[in-house]
Amino acid sequence: MPTVQPRFARVAAAIGDPTRALMLARLLDGRHYTAKELAEQGGVVPATASQHLKLLVDERLLRVRAQGRHRYFTLADGNVAQALEALLRVADGALPETVRWQAPAMRGLRRARSCYGHLAGELGVRLCPCFAPRGWVRAPHADGSGCPLPPPAAAGLAQHGLPAGADGGPSGKRLLYGCVDWSERRDHFAGPLAVAMLNAFIARGWLRRRAESRELDVTPAGQAGLVASLLAQ
């Protein structure tokens, strides 16, 4: 009787292919991309890219949305993003920290980057300890369900022009939760409210996306509004 291949083995094989790994790395920024754009990222022709993308969708690593004549691909959910970030940490484990993150190409990524739609890197990690003393978040539940938001959170966030809520279900316990940061090895915020906050930072001109990269640039306005004000302890 043939042995049934465990699902995690199929998922590992799907992620481990070099072309698909390049596609998944691009999608870690939380945005939607066409098959043509992901083909360019993977260095393959569109027909080959379509085969790779079908496999990733079939393994529930990606989801696809049709809009007009185009089909847009994105990561299936936050669990996939966290798994990919964890693999990045494992893959980079052989390099000394001083070597990896002092490389010119990595300094900007360590400073600020997007992680499945929320802020990561040094700036993302700094949000966590600056929210708690202000009474905006309580300690996360032991079961990992999220960081509860006490009443002062809405007013405090609104003072900085940030969203005070998002669709996190009736209890809102999963509006924010911890995600271990690839470079900093400490939690940054993830969840619907974290995504809404990054969108607000970009809309206010505090952060600016870079083409072809997850790196985020801190603008002069962001240096004043985000770093010197919101992140000030």
Side-chain angles (χ1 to χ4, degrees):
M1 184 176 179
T3 302
V4 177
Q5 186 182 36
R7 172 162 161 70
F8 73 81
R10 300 199 314 271
V11 170
I15 294 173
D17 177 87
T19 297
R20 293 193 287 271
L22 287 170
M23 293 176 172
L24 290 166
R26 167 57 61 85
L27 291 163
L28 264 174
D29 65 6
R31 290 184 282 182
H32 292 72
Y33 291 92
T34 65
K36 180 180 178 182
E37 291 168 331
L38 293 171
E40 293 172 353
Q41 175 71 16
V44 294
V45 298
T48 302
S50 295
Q51 295 174 5
H52 286 297
L53 292 169
K54 181 180 184 303
L55 186 148
L56 291 171
V57 170
D58 289 345
E59 292 298 340
R60 302 196 296 277
L61 296 172
L62 299 185
R63 52 188 170 89
V64 58
R65 184 174 76 189
Q67 187 168 304
R69 295 185 299 171
H70 297 288
R71 298 171 76 231
Y72 293 91
F73 296 85
T74 189
L75 295 183
D77 54 36
N79 289 330
V80 175
Q82 286 184 300
L84 294 174
E85 284 275 321
L87 286 173
L88 285 171
R89 293 194 298 273
V90 172
D92 283 349
L95 286 175
E97 294 292 317
T98 53
V99 173
R100 181 187 312 119
W101 294 109
Q102 289 306 313
M106 302 298 284
R107 289 174 190 164
L109 281 171
R110 182 173 192 178
R111 171 70 166 160
R113 64 181 181 276
S114 57
C115 173
Y116 193 55
H118 50 260
L119 178 60
E122 292 173 343
L123 292 188
V125 166
R126 285 176 61 185
L127 278 178
C128 293
C130 86
F131 274 31
R134 292 178 164 121
W136 294 356
V137 296
R138 297 193 183 103
H141 287 295
D143 62 5
S145 58
C147 305
L149 303 177
L157 291 169
Q159 284 180 354
H160 292 275
L162 301 178
D167 183 11
S171 67
K173 289 196 297 184
R174 290 288 286 179
L175 284 174
L176 285 179
Y177 57 89
C179 176
V180 179
D181 195 272
W182 168 34
S183 60
E184 305 309 298
R185 302 300 197 269
R186 291 180 288 154
D187 278 349
H188 58 244
F189 285 133
L193 183 52
V195 173
M197 283 194 291
L198 177 55
N199 289 338
F201 294 155
I202 292 172
R204 295 191 61 146
W206 289 356
L207 297 174
R208 183 171 52 238
R209 294 187 186 275
R210 283 198 178 195
E212 311 295 326
S213 175
R214 287 202 285 152
E215 183 177 342
L216 298 166
D217 289 323
V218 182
T219 66
Q223 191 65 36
L226 176 60
V227 178
S229 177
L230 182 61
L231 295 181
Q233 296 275 336

XYZ file of all heavy atoms in Angstrom, residues 115-200:
616
model
N 6.409 43.508 6.652
C 6.321 42.059 6.903
C 4.849 41.696 6.789
O 4.079 41.897 7.729
C 6.866 41.715 8.291
S 6.623 39.990 8.791
N 4.447 41.211 5.623
C 3.059 40.855 5.355
C 2.121 41.998 5.733
O 1.110 41.828 6.398
C 2.671 39.574 6.097
C 1.361 38.982 5.609
C 1.178 38.688 4.264
C 0.317 38.748 6.482
C -0.008 38.160 3.803
C -0.895 38.220 6.026
C -1.049 37.932 4.695
O -2.241 37.413 4.237
N 2.506 43.208 5.351
C 1.632 44.353 5.521
C 1.798 45.127 6.809
O 1.154 46.156 6.995
N 2.647 44.644 7.744
C 2.862 45.428 8.954
C 4.332 45.827 9.062
O 5.177 45.344 8.324
C 2.390 44.678 10.211
C 2.897 43.281 10.328
N 2.147 42.173 9.988
C 4.079 42.802 10.746
C 2.843 41.079 10.184
N 4.017 41.421 10.647
N 4.618 46.743 9.975
C 5.949 47.318 10.100
C 6.866 46.386 10.875
O 6.546 45.948 11.983
C 5.862 48.677 10.808
C 7.173 49.420 11.064
C 7.890 49.727 9.755
C 6.908 50.706 11.847
N 8.033 46.111 10.294
C 9.030 45.244 10.922
C 10.379 45.946 10.925
O 10.532 47.059 10.434
C 9.110 43.910 10.179
N 11.376 45.274 11.491
C 12.693 45.865 11.632
C 12.800 46.652 12.926
O 11.967 46.532 13.824
N 13.835 47.470 13.035
C 14.071 48.215 14.261
C 12.868 49.083 14.649
O 12.473 49.135 15.821
C 15.312 49.099 14.102
C 16.614 48.301 13.994
C 17.801 49.191 13.665
O 17.585 50.336 13.203
O 18.947 48.742 13.861
N 12.275 49.765 13.667
C 11.140 50.632 13.985
C 9.930 49.826 14.435
O 9.220 50.229 15.357
C 10.775 51.505 12.783
C 11.781 52.585 12.385
C 11.181 53.482 11.310
C 12.199 53.424 13.583
N 9.694 48.703 13.792
C 8.565 47.874 14.179
C 8.705 47.340 15.588
O 7.734 47.337 16.368
N 9.899 46.913 15.938
C 10.146 46.388 17.278
C 9.991 47.490 18.327
O 9.528 47.245 19.444
C 11.539 45.737 17.333
C 11.982 45.495 18.769
C 11.535 44.416 16.564
N 10.338 48.719 17.981
C 10.238 49.826 18.933
C 8.798 50.198 19.256
O 8.541 50.830 20.290
C 11.003 51.033 18.397
C 12.518 50.899 18.497
C 13.220 52.081 17.872
N 12.884 53.348 18.526
C 13.295 54.539 18.094
N 14.063 54.598 16.993
N 12.963 55.640 18.728
N 7.856 49.839 18.394
C 6.458 50.162 18.675
C 5.956 49.418 19.917
O 5.183 49.968 20.700
C 5.568 49.784 17.486
C 5.483 50.757 16.314
C 4.604 50.168 15.228
C 4.963 52.117 16.744
N 6.386 48.161 20.082
C 5.859 47.335 21.181
C 6.128 47.954 22.554
O 5.188 48.174 23.321
C 6.439 45.927 21.098
S 5.875 45.007 19.640
N 7.383 48.244 22.913
C 7.614 48.788 24.256
C 7.133 50.218 24.454
O 6.997 50.668 25.591
C 9.139 48.699 24.408
C 9.678 48.676 23.022
C 8.643 47.975 22.202
N 6.860 50.959 23.381
C 6.378 52.330 23.577
C 4.857 52.364 23.735
O 4.311 53.332 24.256
C 6.833 53.252 22.454
S 5.789 53.274 21.000
N 4.143 51.323 23.326
C 2.684 51.279 23.481
C 2.290 50.911 24.907
O 1.348 51.474 25.453
C 2.073 50.272 22.513
C 1.791 50.837 21.142
C 2.575 51.840 20.598
C 0.742 50.348 20.386
C 2.328 52.346 19.343
C 0.474 50.851 19.127
C 1.266 51.855 18.601
N 2.991 49.951 25.513
C 2.600 49.455 26.838
C 2.655 50.534 27.921
O 1.695 50.683 28.695
C 3.458 48.258 27.222
N 3.743 51.334 28.046
C 3.768 52.356 29.095
C 2.662 53.402 28.957
O 2.274 54.026 29.939
C 5.152 53.006 28.929
C 5.968 51.984 28.218
C 5.016 51.281 27.311
N 2.162 53.606 27.739
C 1.079 54.560 27.529
C -0.289 53.960 27.846
O -1.302 54.649 27.763
C 1.095 55.038 26.071
C 2.317 55.894 25.710
C 2.251 56.278 24.244
N 3.148 57.370 23.934
C 4.130 57.295 23.034
N 4.347 56.167 22.379
N 4.900 58.336 22.798
N -0.317 52.663 28.159
C -1.581 52.008 28.457
C -2.383 51.647 27.224
O -3.591 51.407 27.313
N -1.728 51.570 26.051
C -2.448 51.280 24.815
C -2.616 49.787 24.587
O -3.493 49.381 23.827
C -1.716 51.896 23.623
C -1.693 53.391 23.639
C -2.300 54.223 24.544
C -1.023 54.240 22.703
N -2.054 55.536 24.244
C -1.269 55.581 23.113
C -0.250 54.020 21.587
C -0.757 56.675 22.424
C 0.261 55.099 20.892
C 0.010 56.409 21.298
N -1.751 48.976 25.154
C -1.887 47.516 25.036
C -1.603 46.894 26.394
O -0.888 47.466 27.220
C -0.926 46.907 23.987
C -1.232 47.400 22.594
C 0.521 47.176 24.352
N -2.190 45.724 26.600
C -1.865 44.926 27.770
C -1.005 43.759 27.325
O -0.841 43.503 26.129
C -3.139 44.427 28.446
C -4.037 45.543 28.980
C -5.107 44.977 29.913
N -6.018 46.035 30.372
C -7.233 46.215 29.893
N -7.702 45.412 28.945
N -7.996 47.190 30.352
N -0.442 43.035 28.272
C 0.400 41.886 27.945
C -0.409 40.881 27.129
O -1.604 40.689 27.370
C 0.917 41.242 29.231
N 0.228 40.231 26.144
C -0.498 39.248 25.340
C -0.950 38.064 26.176
O -0.331 37.712 27.171
C 0.531 38.824 24.285
C 1.854 39.162 24.875
C 1.629 40.364 25.733
N -2.059 37.460 25.764
C -2.553 36.277 26.453
C -1.554 35.140 26.325
O -0.835 35.028 25.321
C -3.897 35.839 25.856
C -5.036 36.746 26.216
N -5.485 36.903 27.496
C -5.815 37.552 25.449
C -6.501 37.747 27.517
N -6.719 38.163 26.282
N -1.513 34.268 27.316
C -0.589 33.136 27.298
C -0.882 32.182 26.146
O 0.010 31.470 25.689
C -0.652 32.384 28.625
N -2.134 32.156 25.690
C -2.479 31.243 24.597
C -2.147 31.811 23.225
O -2.463 31.210 22.204
C -3.965 30.872 24.659
C -4.882 32.092 24.486
O -4.370 33.191 24.229
O -6.102 31.916 24.616
N -1.504 32.985 23.186
C -1.100 33.573 21.921
C -2.223 34.215 21.136
O -2.068 34.533 19.964
N -3.377 34.431 21.783
C -4.532 34.955 21.057
C -4.401 36.434 20.719
O -5.135 36.940 19.894
C -5.815 34.721 21.867
O -5.725 35.335 23.137
N -3.491 37.145 21.357
C -3.284 38.528 20.961
C -3.053 39.458 22.124
O -3.000 39.047 23.285
N -2.884 40.744 21.809
C -2.655 41.778 22.811
C -3.949 42.556 23.009
O -4.375 43.294 22.106
C -1.555 42.739 22.345
S -0.005 41.955 21.903
N -4.622 42.427 24.148
C -5.870 43.171 24.365
C -5.636 44.677 24.340
O -4.600 45.167 24.786
C -6.319 42.706 25.753
C -5.585 41.432 25.997
C -4.283 41.560 25.273
N -6.607 45.400 23.815
C -6.512 46.860 23.705
C -7.421 47.500 24.745
O -8.651 47.435 24.611
C -6.920 47.319 22.308
C -6.133 46.726 21.141
C -6.709 47.214 19.833
C -4.668 47.074 21.251
N -6.879 48.122 25.782
C -7.709 48.786 26.783
C -8.310 50.066 26.208
O -7.880 50.561 25.156
C -6.724 49.087 27.913
C -5.393 49.140 27.250
C -5.453 48.193 26.093
N -9.283 50.657 26.894
C -9.963 51.869 26.380
C -9.028 53.011 25.983
O -9.306 53.699 24.994
C -10.884 52.269 27.540
C -11.185 50.976 28.221
C -9.919 50.165 28.132
N -7.917 53.289 26.708
C -7.069 54.419 26.291
C -6.420 54.249 24.922
O -5.922 55.225 24.350
C -5.989 54.464 27.386
C -6.592 53.764 28.558
C -7.463 52.694 27.981
N -6.429 53.036 24.386
C -5.752 52.815 23.110
C -6.345 53.656 22.000
O -5.622 54.283 21.217
C -5.803 51.330 22.745
N -7.676 53.678 21.896
C -8.325 54.392 20.798
C -7.980 55.871 20.822
O -7.621 56.459 19.799
C -9.838 54.189 20.879
N -8.073 56.492 22.004
C -7.778 57.916 22.105
C -6.313 58.197 21.823
O -5.963 59.170 21.144
C -8.151 58.428 23.497
N -5.435 57.344 22.331
C -4.002 57.558 22.123
C -3.604 57.440 20.672
O -2.843 58.275 20.157
N -4.114 56.424 19.992
C -3.807 56.261 18.577
C -4.386 57.406 17.757
O -3.744 57.905 16.835
C -4.345 54.919 18.079
C -3.644 53.670 18.627
C -4.426 52.412 18.266
C -2.223 53.564 18.090
N -5.610 57.822 18.111
C -6.253 58.902 17.361
C -5.471 60.205 17.471
O -5.434 61.004 16.525
C -7.685 59.096 17.857
N -4.822 60.445 18.611
C -4.022 61.650 18.781
C -2.894 61.722 17.761
O -2.439 62.807 17.388
C -3.435 61.702 20.193
C -4.433 62.089 21.266
C -3.797 62.113 22.638
O -2.629 61.740 22.800
N -4.554 62.566 23.634
N -2.426 60.567 17.320
C -1.352 60.518 16.327
C -1.895 60.281 14.921
O -1.133 59.950 14.008
C -0.356 59.420 16.695
C 0.426 59.720 17.941
N 1.574 60.481 17.939
C 0.218 59.371 19.223
C 2.039 60.587 19.171
N 1.237 59.909 19.969
N -3.219 60.428 14.763
C -3.811 60.264 13.447
C -3.800 58.844 12.944
O -3.830 58.597 11.731
N -3.785 57.877 13.889
C -3.717 56.478 13.507
C -5.051 55.792 13.728
O -5.854 56.226 14.555
C -2.628 55.761 14.325
C -1.221 56.326 14.167
C -0.245 55.586 15.057
C -0.766 56.246 12.714
N -5.313 54.694 13.003
C -6.590 54.002 13.169
C -6.720 53.445 14.572
O -5.772 52.896 15.130
C -6.524 52.878 12.119
C -5.060 52.683 11.874
C -4.432 54.046 12.024
N -7.901 53.582 15.150
C -8.126 53.128 16.522
C -8.775 51.762 16.580
O -9.036 51.247 17.655
C -8.999 54.130 17.257
N -9.023 51.150 15.457
C -9.648 49.838 15.451
C -9.588 49.242 14.068
O -9.269 49.904 13.089
N -9.867 47.948 14.007
C -9.909 47.233 12.734
C -10.772 46.009 12.945
O -11.202 45.721 14.052
C -8.494 46.834 12.281
N -11.033 45.294 11.877
C -11.930 44.144 11.963
C -11.191 42.963 12.553
O -10.544 42.196 11.854
C -12.459 43.797 10.567
C -13.461 42.660 10.617
O -13.891 42.305 11.728
O -13.808 42.143 9.547
N -11.259 42.806 13.865
C -10.586 41.706 14.527
C -11.537 40.754 15.203
O -11.132 39.963 16.042
N -12.830 40.788 14.838
C -13.791 39.903 15.465
C -14.452 40.582 16.652
O -14.072 41.675 17.070
N -15.461 39.952 17.234
C -16.234 40.571 18.309
C -15.400 40.983 19.496
O -15.613 42.020 20.094
C -17.242 39.468 18.681
C -17.324 38.598 17.478
C -15.969 38.634 16.857
N -14.421 40.170 19.883
C -13.634 40.486 21.070
C -12.464 41.397 20.778
O -11.936 42.051 21.664
C -13.108 39.192 21.703
O -12.164 38.588 20.842
N -12.034 41.441 19.507
C -10.892 42.271 19.128
C -9.565 41.767 19.645
O -8.565 42.466 19.549
N -9.529 40.542 20.194
C -8.288 40.072 20.816
C -7.179 39.861 19.802
O -6.017 39.861 20.166
C -8.551 38.774 21.586
C -9.368 38.966 22.853
C -9.268 37.771 23.762
C -9.821 36.522 23.143
N -9.805 35.388 24.084
N -7.530 39.679 18.526
C -6.505 39.445 17.521
C -6.239 40.682 16.680
O -5.694 40.590 15.597
C -6.902 38.279 16.629
C -6.854 36.927 17.308
C -5.439 36.450 17.552
N -4.802 36.015 16.326
C -3.544 35.566 16.267
N -2.806 35.515 17.353
N -3.023 35.184 15.131
N -6.636 41.849 17.153
C -6.289 43.074 16.445
C -4.784 43.246 16.386
O -4.227 43.686 15.384
C -6.914 44.286 17.134
C -8.406 44.506 16.932
C -8.882 45.649 17.801
C -8.725 44.773 15.473
N -4.109 42.922 17.460
C -2.652 42.974 17.540
C -2.146 41.688 18.177
O -2.734 41.200 19.136
C -2.185 44.156 18.398
C -2.243 45.565 17.838
C -1.740 46.551 18.891
C -1.413 45.694 16.567
N -1.060 41.188 17.641
C -0.378 40.063 18.281
C 1.099 40.108 17.906
O 1.507 40.832 16.989
C -1.013 38.720 17.898
C -1.073 38.428 16.412
C -0.033 37.783 15.754
C -2.202 38.792 15.670
C -0.102 37.512 14.400
C -2.267 38.525 14.318
C -1.227 37.871 13.684
O -1.300 37.616 12.335
N 1.906 39.368 18.628
C 3.350 39.417 18.414
C 3.806 38.553 17.253
O 3.258 37.484 16.995
N 4.802 39.042 16.531
C 5.436 38.302 15.429
C 6.939 38.470 15.610
O 7.445 39.597 15.634
C 4.973 38.876 14.089
S 5.752 38.133 12.629
N 7.663 37.369 15.781
C 9.103 37.451 16.037
C 9.809 38.049 14.820
O 9.671 37.550 13.700
C 9.695 36.075 16.372
C 11.200 36.193 16.614
C 9.021 35.478 17.599
N 10.553 39.100 15.046
C 11.202 39.837 13.962
C 12.425 39.092 13.444
O 13.252 38.612 14.220
C 11.611 41.231 14.469
C 11.946 42.170 13.346
O 13.121 42.181 12.914
O 11.050 42.894 12.887
N 12.542 39.033 12.129
C 13.631 38.313 11.460
C 14.994 38.850 11.868
O 15.908 38.093 12.178
C 13.403 38.434 9.949
C 14.514 38.014 9.050
C 15.415 37.000 9.258
C 14.848 38.570 7.779
N 16.273 36.905 8.188
C 15.941 37.856 7.264
C 14.312 39.609 7.020
C 16.520 38.146 6.024
C 14.879 39.892 5.790
C 15.976 39.163 5.302
N 15.156 40.162 11.906
C 16.477 40.726 12.198
C 16.691 40.991 13.679
O 17.802 40.834 14.193
C 16.678 42.033 11.411
O 15.698 43.000 11.759
N 15.631 41.393 14.397
C 15.798 41.837 15.780
C 15.590 40.742 16.812
O 15.967 40.901 17.979
C 14.831 42.992 16.071
C 14.967 44.157 15.111
C 16.406 44.611 14.985
O 16.982 45.047 15.998
O 16.958 44.509 13.866
N 14.969 39.619 16.408
C 14.717 38.478 17.308
C 13.832 38.867 18.495
O 13.878 38.263 19.558
C 16.033 37.864 17.818
C 16.976 37.376 16.732
C 16.314 36.289 15.876
N 17.303 35.544 15.109
C 17.701 35.865 13.887
N 17.201 36.943 13.301
N 18.583 35.124 13.256
N 13.062 39.906 18.335
C 12.053 40.308 19.318
C 10.746 40.555 18.578
O 10.729 40.621 17.351
C 12.486 41.585 20.061
C 13.667 41.390 21.000
C 14.028 42.691 21.690
N 14.653 43.631 20.767
C 14.629 44.951 20.891
N 13.959 45.498 21.896
N 15.230 45.734 20.026
N 9.657 40.682 19.320
C 8.352 40.845 18.680
C 8.164 42.227 18.072
O 8.537 43.237 18.663
C 7.230 40.625 19.693
C 6.911 39.151 19.902
O 7.409 38.315 19.117
O 6.177 38.833 20.848
N 7.583 42.239 16.877
C 6.931 43.440 16.383
C 5.431 43.123 16.297
O 5.019 41.967 16.420
C 7.492 43.886 15.027
C 7.386 42.864 13.927
N 8.481 42.296 13.303
C 6.308 42.298 13.335
C 8.085 41.442 12.387
N 6.771 41.426 12.373
N 4.610 44.150 16.122
C 3.176 43.946 16.071
C 2.752 43.374 14.716
O 3.208 43.832 13.670
C 2.414 45.256 16.297
C 2.402 45.733 17.722
C 2.690 47.063 18.017
C 2.099 44.863 18.765
C 2.664 47.515 19.332
C 2.083 45.307 20.076
C 2.362 46.643 20.364
N 1.842 42.404 14.766
C 1.173 41.891 13.573
C -0.329 41.967 13.822
O -0.769 42.325 14.915
C 1.614 40.462 13.290
N -1.112 41.642 12.807
C -2.558 41.662 12.948
C -3.209 42.800 12.188
O -2.522 43.685 11.654
N -4.535 42.808 12.099
C -5.248 43.817 11.304
C -4.933 45.254 11.702
O -4.805 46.122 10.839
C -6.728 43.483 11.561
C -6.732 42.041 11.939
C -5.457 41.802 12.676
N -4.802 45.521 13.000
C -4.516 46.888 13.417
C -3.094 47.286 13.038
O -2.839 48.434 12.659
C -4.730 47.049 14.923
C -4.529 48.465 15.496
C -5.351 49.498 14.728
C -4.880 48.493 16.977
N -2.166 46.335 13.102
C -0.784 46.622 12.692
C -0.723 46.946 11.206
O 0.028 47.839 10.786
C 0.118 45.432 13.023
N -1.486 46.229 10.389
C -1.544 46.517 8.952
C -2.138 47.905 8.722
O -1.627 48.689 7.915
C -2.372 45.441 8.219
C -2.594 45.828 6.758
C -1.670 44.088 8.304
N -3.209 48.227 9.447
C -3.842 49.550 9.302
C -2.877 50.655 9.714
O -2.859 51.734 9.099
C -5.120 49.607 10.136
N -2.068 50.409 10.745
C -1.111 51.429 11.183
C -0.045 51.665 10.121
O 0.306 52.816 9.831
C -0.480 51.014 12.515
C -1.393 51.222 13.703
S -0.537 51.129 15.302
C -0.126 49.385 15.362
N 0.490 50.599 9.518
C 1.499 50.803 8.480
C 0.897 51.563 7.302
O 1.537 52.466 6.752
C 2.084 49.465 8.011
C 3.093 49.565 6.862
C 4.243 50.513 7.201
C 3.630 48.194 6.481
N -0.312 51.205 6.913
C -0.964 51.951 5.830
C -1.100 53.431 6.184
O -0.932 54.309 5.330
C -2.339 51.347 5.534
C -2.246 49.992 4.861
O -1.236 49.660 4.248
N -3.292 49.191 4.987
N -1.405 53.718 7.460
C -1.527 55.110 7.899
C -0.175 55.810 7.870
O -0.078 56.977 7.479
C -2.122 55.168 9.305
